[in-house]
Amino acid sequence: MEHITLLLAIVVVTALVFDFTNGFHDTANAMATTISTGAMKPKTAVAMSAVLNLIGAFLSVEVAKTISGGIVNENGIRTEVIFAALVGAILWNLFTWLLGLPSSSSHALFGGLIGAAVMSAGWSSINGGTVVTKVLLPAIAAPLVAGIAAMLATRLTYRINRNVTDPNQQKSTAKGYRAGQIASAGLVSLAHGTNDAQKTMGIITLALVTSGVLAPGSNPPMWVIVSAGVAIALGTYLGGWRIIRTMGKGLTDLQPPQGFAAQTSAATVILASSHLGFSLSTTQSCSGAVMGAGLGRKGGVVRWSTATRMFVAWGLTLPAAGLVGAGAEFLTKQGPWGIAVTAVILVGGSFAIWLASRREPVDHTNVNDTDGTTADEPQGVVTTAMAAVAPPPTAGAVSELSTTIPAPAAASDDTPRPAATV
């Protein structure tokens, strides 16, 4: 600690700020379905998630080692590069939070780091093989695997309970699924802390290595693990209510069995990837699981217009954060005044985004309200096409149709006629 310079201290603080934004940006991953189905109250849900995020930060350091010594070559990377990378990641996180889009905080960090490293030392500073195998391929596979698993789990769940018709049994089953949702949400929170808190640990460790405080290949010190865990837990407790609304109400309408299936599937994928050292996007895993659960229920529909906006955000995250990181690194290369200007841009941009969010605030009191852009969206071209080609009525149904032509009204001077006799 005695070797930490002013610049390194700024980088460490900025990394913890990113960790904080990661926490409130990704709260929806664990708690959106639990809140939207009413299994837990909003504030209780984020408080539980925060505690489990903190605990999860102490379970593994494999992902941290992937970031600190895998994506970029430590030799030749300056501390200023880490600062520029964090600027790109934080600003993209805040921008997508303002739009309510569940983009990947992980990919924002990777994009900022890659862009800043390329601006500083060229493409040779990037370990392309690690980026492909531990970032890009998991980004494609994670939502697909989680989505398919959630869809199959949802179908199995409804099949098992298809013969439950007694109202009391139905109530007991619903309570059981809500309890299962709470347990699976806790598992996702634990997995999120295990996976995402390590990303900040890896960045701080990389900064310590580039400054000569730690030897290359070192594990994160205990103070780094503790501070990263606390930062992400505080951000989680704050609650990213805008993204929770999108995940819980915007993608599909979930029932407790679907929420349980989605969260269990996502947690399994995230924990497995953390154990293998894959720096997985928990956002993409959980979003894929929610969509899979929506498709798994008979009559369930995914709102593809919302999903399309989310897919676009996923695709833009790496390059957009990379461009911002590269621009920030261009400034920091100019010397102390460039670092100061970059810091001002970060603070000013963050404040401007916060002011914009105050125009239409979203918090725990209105997180389950529809915002007029999700609930009224078309349910997708597949559903529309199916409705358009519905079979015509059968002959039996046609025979039941009849038209009754009322008799003319009797005039006022008409007298009643006697009944006809045969």
Side-chain angles (χ1 to χ4, degrees):
M1 294 289 289
E2 64 270 15
H3 300 290
I4 291 184
T5 63
L6 176 60
L7 176 60
L8 182 56
I10 293 174
V11 171
V12 170
V13 171
T14 307
L16 294 177
V17 171
F18 166 76
D19 203 23
F20 180 82
T21 66
N22 191 352
F24 76 74
H25 196 280
D26 291 0
T27 308
N29 296 342
M31 292 301 169
T33 59
T34 305
I35 292 172
S36 67
T37 60
M40 293 185 73
K41 294 182 179 179
K43 294 296 288 184
T44 305
V46 296
M48 185 187 82
S49 183
V51 172
L52 292 172
N53 265 257
L54 178 60
I55 296 173
F58 293 89
L59 298 184
S60 174
V61 294
E62 292 301 318
V63 175
K65 290 191 291 186
T66 296
I67 295 174
S68 62
I71 293 178
V72 299
N73 297 318
E74 296 169 337
N75 298 328
I77 295 297
R78 302 174 299 115
T79 308
E80 292 89 336
V81 175
I82 314 300
F83 178 58
L86 290 168
V87 170
I90 291 172
L91 290 179
W92 181 256
N93 257 4
L94 293 177
F95 178 69
T96 51
W97 163 76
L98 177 66
L99 299 179
L101 292 175
S103 68
S104 171
S105 298
S106 306
H107 289 178
L109 180 60
F110 301 150
L113 184 60
I114 292 171
V118 170
M119 176 61 69
S120 175
W123 288 101
S124 61
S125 63
I126 306 300
N127 294 324
T130 302
V131 172
V132 172
T133 58
K134 293 201 171 184
V135 177
L136 296 181
L137 291 181
I140 298 173
L144 291 176
V145 173
I148 293 172
M151 182 176 66
L152 295 177
T154 300
R155 291 184 177 179
L156 177 62
T157 298
Y158 278 102
R159 180 175 293 273
I160 291 174
N161 293 283
R162 67 184 184 276
N163 295 325
V164 177
T165 57
D166 182 72
N168 293 327
Q169 290 183 341
Q170 290 176 343
K171 289 181 180 179
S172 299
T173 302
K175 289 181 180 179
Y177 278 121
R178 286 192 173 90
Q181 266 196 284
I182 295 172
S184 59
L187 190 60
V188 174
S189 298
L190 194 69
H192 182 256
T194 304
N195 193 280
D196 280 40
Q198 289 188 63
K199 298 178 177 99
T200 300
M201 297 177 203
I203 283 293
I204 295 177
T205 303
L206 180 59
L208 294 173
V209 170
T210 58
S211 300
V213 178
L214 293 178
S218 299
N219 287 337
M222 181 54 66
W223 68 267
V224 173
I225 297 175
V226 172
S227 58
V230 170
I232 199 170
L234 289 175
T236 300
Y237 181 72
L238 181 65
W241 304 110
R242 292 174 179 273
I243 301 175
I244 290 176
R245 173 184 283 182
T246 300
M247 288 274 285
K249 293 293 185 181
L251 280 175
T252 185
D253 295 320
L254 292 179
Q255 296 178 359
Q258 294 170 279
F260 172 69
Q263 290 170 324
T264 304
S265 303
T268 303
V269 171
I270 296 167
L271 287 174
S273 68
S274 298
H275 178 71
L276 296 173
F278 292 116
S279 191
L280 192 69
S281 168
T282 56
T283 299
Q284 292 181 356
S285 301
C286 293
S287 300
V290 168
M291 287 187 285
L295 294 174
R297 176 171 62 89
K298 186 178 181 180
V301 192
V302 172
R303 297 187 179 95
W304 292 111
S305 53
T306 301
T308 300
R309 293 199 302 270
M310 185 177 66
F311 294 152
V312 171
W314 289 0
L316 290 177
T317 295
L318 270 171
L323 287 174
V324 177
E329 170 57 16
F330 177 79
L331 287 175
T332 61
K333 289 172 64 175
Q334 311 308 314
W337 71 267
I339 296 174
V341 170
T342 304
V344 170
I345 291 174
L346 174 61
V347 174
S350 302
F351 184 69
I353 292 173
W354 180 81
L355 285 180
S357 72
R358 294 298 88 197
R359 297 176 182 174
E360 295 182 4
V362 180
D363 56 25
H364 66 282
T365 62
N366 62 355
V367 66
N368 280 333
D369 296 343
T370 56
D371 58 3
T373 61
T374 55
D376 298 331
E377 287 179 350
Q379 294 181 333
V381 294
V382 176
T383 305
T384 304
M386 290 177 64
V389 298
T394 61
V398 173
S399 63
E400 294 175 1
L401 298 177
S402 61
T403 302
T404 302
I405 302 176
S412 57
D413 58 347
D414 286 346
T415 57
R417 298 177 180 180
T421 58
V422 179

